[in-house]
Amino acid sequence: MSEYRRYFVAGGTYFFTAVTDRRAPLFADASARRLLGSVLRRCILRQPMKVLAIVLLPDHLHCLWTLPSTDSDYSARWRWLKGEFSKHWLALGGIEQPLANSRKRERRRGIWQRRFWEHTIRDETDLEQHADYIHYNPVRHGLVTRPIDWPWSSFHRWVRLEHYQPNWAGSQSIADIDGE
């Protein structure tokens, strides 16, 4: 089995991707989106962090988090967030993907993929590139033609903060945005 190594920096900023089990379009359901938002807000109260950017797509989410200066335990946050979401989703009668017996023995549920992808942000340029990636993601997946048309994104907050213009990337590709 592969060894997964994570890089932990107290007070660090991290980019994450979390994916639903078998890429089921769980977050196409409004009640799943509301529940995830509620669980995320409770997670922030339990273990403070700042969510700099986020986008929620039908089968995955991307986000940028900054942790407090003395804290590097993002894994505990993800464990709690995924567990709480799964518990409440199933209690509400939400669906899950069928599980093989081996996964049942591991006490897994068919809601989330087992792990998450993480990248430690190195500098301001890296932060901006990952924020652009997050906000452009609905366009990349063919869900909308402009980032502003996707409602489940922090793009709208970034426009209010004047980091982006409302028409940002409306007719560009991500390669144009990244300068590739």
Side-chain angles (χ1 to χ4, degrees), residues 67-85:
L67 302 187
S69 62
T70 59
D71 191 350
S72 64
D73 197 359
Y74 53 79
S75 291
R77 288 167 173 84
W78 276 111
R79 187 178 319 108
W80 188 87
L81 192 146
K82 288 170 133 186
E84 281 296 295
F85 176 86

Side-chain angles (χ1 to χ4, degrees), residues 60-109:
H60 68 285
L61 68 109
H62 299 289
C63 53
L64 282 166
W65 294 353
T66 298
L67 302 187
S69 62
T70 59
D71 191 350
S72 64
D73 197 359
Y74 53 79
S75 291
R77 288 167 173 84
W78 276 111
R79 187 178 319 108
W80 188 87
L81 192 146
K82 288 170 133 186
E84 281 296 295
F85 176 86
S86 297
K87 177 175 68 177
H88 291 289
W89 176 246
L90 294 171
L92 291 170
I95 59 166
E96 66 179 311
Q97 297 303 301
L99 294 173
N101 287 334
S102 61
R103 293 178 77 195
K104 288 178 185 175
R105 282 192 299 275
E106 294 172 354
R107 296 175 40 146
R108 302 229 353 245
R109 302 307 306 239

Side-chain angles (χ1 to χ4, degrees), residues 55-60 136-146 149-152:
V55 66
L56 184 60
L57 290 98
D59 62 355
H60 68 285
Y136 191 76
N137 212 253
V139 177
R140 167 177 268 141
H141 286 280
L143 299 167
V144 292
T145 57
R146 305 175 311 159
D149 296 331
W150 190 250
W152 304 288

Side-chain angles (χ1 to χ4, degrees), residues 5-52:
R5 295 182 186 193
R6 303 250 187 228
Y7 188 55
F8 297 95
V9 176
T13 298
Y14 303 91
F15 169 84
F16 299 102
T17 301
V19 181
T20 61
D21 191 39
R22 299 183 199 168
R23 288 204 169 259
L26 182 65
F27 300 114
D29 184 314
S31 58
R33 292 190 302 267
R34 283 191 300 273
L35 177 60
L36 183 64
S38 173
V39 171
L40 180 58
R41 286 186 290 279
R42 287 190 343 210
C43 184
I44 292 167
L45 292 173
R46 288 181 80 251
Q47 293 180 289
M49 63 181 165
K50 185 171 184 182
V51 178
L52 303 177

Side-chain angles (χ1 to χ4, degrees), residues 91-161:
L92 291 170
I95 59 166
E96 66 179 311
Q97 297 303 301
L99 294 173
N101 287 334
S102 61
R103 293 178 77 195
K104 288 178 185 175
R105 282 192 299 275
E106 294 172 354
R107 296 175 40 146
R108 302 229 353 245
R109 302 307 306 239
I111 308 289
W112 296 98
Q113 283 186 4
R114 188 170 178 203
R115 294 183 175 88
F116 56 86
W117 194 84
E118 158 270 324
H119 166 78
T120 304
I121 299 298
R122 297 179 305 272
D123 56 29
E124 278 298 314
T125 301
D126 196 24
L127 176 71
E128 287 184 23
Q129 287 173 345
H130 281 84
D132 289 350
Y133 178 86
I134 286 170
H135 295 128
Y136 191 76
N137 212 253
V139 177
R140 167 177 268 141
H141 286 280
L143 299 167
V144 292
T145 57
R146 305 175 311 159
I148 199 159
D149 296 331
W150 190 250
W152 304 288
S153 169
S154 58
F155 180 79
H156 307 278
R157 180 176 42 139
W158 284 55
V159 168
R160 284 192 305 277
L161 294 172

